[in-house]
Amino acid sequence: MNRGKWFDLLSDNWMLLATLLMSILPLSVGFGLLIESMPLLRQYHLRHLVSSSAWSPAEGKFGMISFITGTLWVTGLSLCMAAPVSLLVSIYITQYAKPWLMRTIHLVMDILAGIPSVVYGVWGVLVIVPWISQKLAPALGYSSSGYCVLSGGIVLAVMSIPYILHLQIEIFRTIPIELKEISLSLGATYWETIKYVLLKQARRGIIASVGLGISKALGETIAVLMVVGNVPQIPENMFQAGYPLPALIANNYGEMMSIPHYLSALMFAGLILFLIICLFNSISHWIIHKMHQT
């Protein structure tokens, strides 16, 4: 075997090894969290842990439902704001905008994606929290300190939009221009072409980009804990404080570890967050698979 073939064989093996390592990485993360959570799961029933809202580690109470609902509140609000804005901007940028505006938007997306999450948190404390407490909540008949799940949702939506928008712009660019030209030549209006041709062709990619945005929002920590209030309760409306799972782990890891099962409870919180992210990604892939079959 000559030198070139040895080099090709070595390159193939290295790439195969890297692919296998990447494939088992999520399993190793989930398995590690499960192992660290076992002391808590042996002591308490799983149904009690995920259904109880009582959180007092010193008294041996590790109820997670308030943290799970806080995570879902913040993620759901950010998704409701980020998904439609990203879709409308991506359609305008790829179908209507001038080239200079597209270049400007790309620059803005790169800047937004590169800003550290702690800066978004500071922006939320200085701008979003006062706006909600002084303007929005009173206008809608609510009383709020501004440190609430809505603040977390707004901050996470701004953080998620660059990732969703970048993917959707690339998705619309991959659609053959001939499809649009055929639709227009048959008498369809420009909006009808976008609605019935482009969106139909891009719908699987749009769902995948939104799924990625949800995963991104679920894992954010610093920006969330700075604006969401960090109160272990089940929010009844978007102006009440919450306590998402990432904020729980970041606020408490390394403290009070002398309390029995406290570290295991935080690892169990990480395991729940990991499973929620897996669930959202599985649902988005299932939707894409079903759409591919139809």
Side-chain angles (χ1 to χ4, degrees):
M1 187 177 293
N2 58 34
R3 183 177 178 182
K5 291 185 177 179
W6 274 108
F7 184 77
D8 289 342
L9 181 62
L10 185 63
S11 301
D12 292 344
N13 290 332
W14 276 113
M15 286 187 285
L16 176 61
L17 179 61
T19 304
L20 293 176
L21 288 175
M22 183 61 67
S23 301
I24 65 173
L25 190 57
L27 293 176
S28 65
V29 173
F31 186 72
L33 291 172
L34 178 61
I35 294 298
E36 294 295 329
S37 304
M38 287 309 294
L40 183 73
L41 294 173
R42 291 194 188 98
Q43 187 72 25
Y44 301 91
H45 196 279
L46 177 62
R47 181 183 300 176
H48 173 74
L49 290 174
V50 299
S51 62
S52 173
S53 60
W55 175 258
S56 179
E59 300 175 4
K61 298 178 181 177
F62 298 102
M64 292 287 175
I65 188 64
S66 57
F67 305 107
I68 296 173
T69 53
T71 301
L72 296 179
W73 260 103
V74 173
T75 305
L77 288 171
S78 67
L79 176 64
C80 290
M81 290 180 273
V85 171
S86 301
L87 182 58
L88 293 175
V89 173
S90 62
I91 291 174
Y92 182 79
I93 288 299
T94 56
Q95 306 302 321
Y96 296 97
K98 302 292 184 183
W100 67 267
L101 182 56
M102 180 177 292
R103 292 193 295 271
T104 304
I105 291 297
H106 273 288
L107 177 62
V108 172
M109 285 192 302
D110 291 341
I111 293 173
L112 289 175
I115 294 176
S117 59
V118 66
V119 176
Y120 281 108
V122 172
W123 170 73
V125 171
L126 297 178
V127 178
I128 301 302
V129 169
W131 176 67
I132 290 177
S133 64
Q134 299 171 13
K135 303 292 184 182
L136 183 61
L140 297 178
Y142 290 92
S143 176
S144 174
S145 65
Y147 291 95
C148 56
V149 290
L150 179 59
S151 298
I154 294 174
V155 172
L156 285 187
V158 176
M159 296 178 67
S160 302
I161 283 175
Y163 299 95
I164 301 175
L165 185 56
H166 182 77
L167 286 174
Q168 291 184 355
I169 288 175
E170 296 302 321
I171 290 165
F172 279 112
R173 281 178 170 174
T174 60
I175 299 176
I177 193 171
E178 289 80 7
L179 291 176
K180 185 167 68 175
E181 292 175 346
I182 292 173
S183 176
L184 294 174
S185 65
L186 291 175
T189 64
Y190 209 81
W191 172 244
E192 288 173 339
T193 300
I194 293 172
K195 184 177 179 181
Y196 296 110
V197 178
L198 299 185
L199 286 179
K200 186 176 181 179
Q201 288 291 321
R203 63 188 190 280
R204 289 194 289 269
I206 293 172
I207 293 173
S209 66
V210 173
L212 181 62
I214 294 174
S215 300
K216 171 69 177 175
L218 278 167
E220 287 299 336
T221 305
I222 299 299
V224 176
L225 67 87
M226 293 177 69
V227 299
V228 82
N230 300 326
V231 178
Q233 64 178 7
I234 300 176
E236 296 180 355
N237 59 66
M238 60 184 179
F239 295 109
Q240 289 188 348
Y243 207 159
L245 290 166
L248 169 69
I249 299 171
N251 277 335
N252 296 278
Y253 193 83
E255 298 181 2
M256 297 185 292
M257 290 307 169
S258 59
I259 298 177
H261 302 304
Y262 195 47
L263 177 60
S264 183
L266 296 182
M267 293 299 101
F268 182 61
L271 179 62
I272 293 174
L273 186 62
F274 177 80
L275 293 176
I276 292 175
I277 292 174
C278 291
L279 178 63
F280 272 107
N281 278 281
S282 300
I283 292 174
S284 64
H285 281 281
W286 179 78
I287 294 173
I288 293 170
H289 176 70
K290 297 299 289 184
M291 294 174 70
H292 184 71
Q293 288 182 329
T294 57

